[in-house]
Amino acid sequence: MAAEISDRVREIAEARGLPESEVFEQALERGLEDLWEDLVLAQYLDGELDGKEAIERVGRTKVERAERKRKIVEEDVDWGLNA
């Protein structure tokens, strides 16, 4: 796995003309952003964070998308239980 990551970093760095350290930095930033959004949305959906605060942290589009996904899952569960 580590070798595969190194190979990918090297390939990205070469293709973009960047140092490998910058590729790692960008990857870390993207990964942290995804983890942050997941945390905020989970807290919102669990009722630990209100909608206004969630929107301020990750944006209205992402909060609304999370609400739609939850509704779809709830509808699927209801259908499954009543089928």
Side-chain angles (χ1 to χ4, degrees):
M1 179 68 141
E4 183 177 319
I5 290 171
S6 293
D7 291 343
R8 288 180 180 182
V9 168
R10 191 175 309 104
E11 187 173 339
I12 293 167
E14 289 173 3
R16 294 193 175 163
L18 299 171
E20 290 182 21
S21 61
E22 190 169 333
V23 174
F24 274 114
E25 183 179 335
Q26 290 177 7
L28 179 60
E29 287 173 0
R30 283 187 183 185
L32 284 175
E33 184 65 26
D34 287 347
L35 292 172
W36 172 252
E37 289 173 4
D38 288 349
L39 174 65
V40 170
L41 294 172
Q43 289 174 333
Y44 168 68
L45 293 173
D46 289 341
E48 299 170 14
L49 195 63
D50 68 30
K52 181 180 177 184
E53 183 69 22
I55 289 169
E56 288 175 6
R57 292 183 182 189
V58 298
R60 179 173 305 279
T61 301
K62 290 180 176 142
V63 171
E64 289 174 351
R65 185 179 306 129
E67 289 173 346
R68 285 192 305 271
K69 287 180 180 180
R70 175 173 55 182
K71 182 180 178 192
I72 290 168
V73 169
E74 289 172 349
E75 289 172 354
D76 284 351
V77 169
D78 287 344
W79 179 85
L81 293 173
N82 296 315

